[in-house]
Amino acid sequence: MIQLTKLNGTVFYLNHFLIEKIEITPDTVITMNSQTQYVVKEGIEDINNRIRNEKQTIL
């Protein structure tokens, strides 16, 4: 799980294994396998780094 921040400042944790795609529109929009979308403050590079770090922690 990675920690992210919604635009209203709410912090939440997201299961990165269920992410289908990440778009910049200009906000960062994460679409899950279930088609649920989250708009977050973090940029795509920051999200990728968090996913990479989490996967390294698991392994």
Side-chain angles (χ1 to χ4, degrees), residues 28-54:
T28 306
V29 179
I30 301 173
T31 304
M32 307 301 287
N33 290 337
S34 65
Q35 300 307 307
T36 302
Q37 292 186 322
Y38 298 97
V39 181
V40 297
K41 289 184 176 181
E42 291 80 2
I44 193 164
E45 192 153 324
D46 187 21
I47 295 170
N48 282 334
N49 287 336
R50 291 177 189 203
I51 291 171
R52 188 176 304 110
N53 290 340
E54 183 64 21

Side-chain angles (χ1 to χ4, degrees), residues 1-58:
M1 304 273 280
I2 58 171
Q3 180 178 320
L4 297 169
T5 310
K6 294 182 181 180
L7 292 182
N8 66 5
T10 304
V11 174
F12 70 105
Y13 291 87
L14 188 71
N15 184 340
H16 62 280
F17 290 110
L18 300 177
I19 294 175
E20 183 177 323
K21 64 182 174 180
I22 303 173
E23 300 174 273
I24 307 298
T25 64
D27 295 323
T28 306
V29 179
I30 301 173
T31 304
M32 307 301 287
N33 290 337
S34 65
Q35 300 307 307
T36 302
Q37 292 186 322
Y38 298 97
V39 181
V40 297
K41 289 184 176 181
E42 291 80 2
I44 193 164
E45 192 153 324
D46 187 21
I47 295 170
N48 282 334
N49 287 336
R50 291 177 189 203
I51 291 171
R52 188 176 304 110
N53 290 340
E54 183 64 21
K55 285 184 178 180
Q56 288 176 350
T57 302
I58 293 171

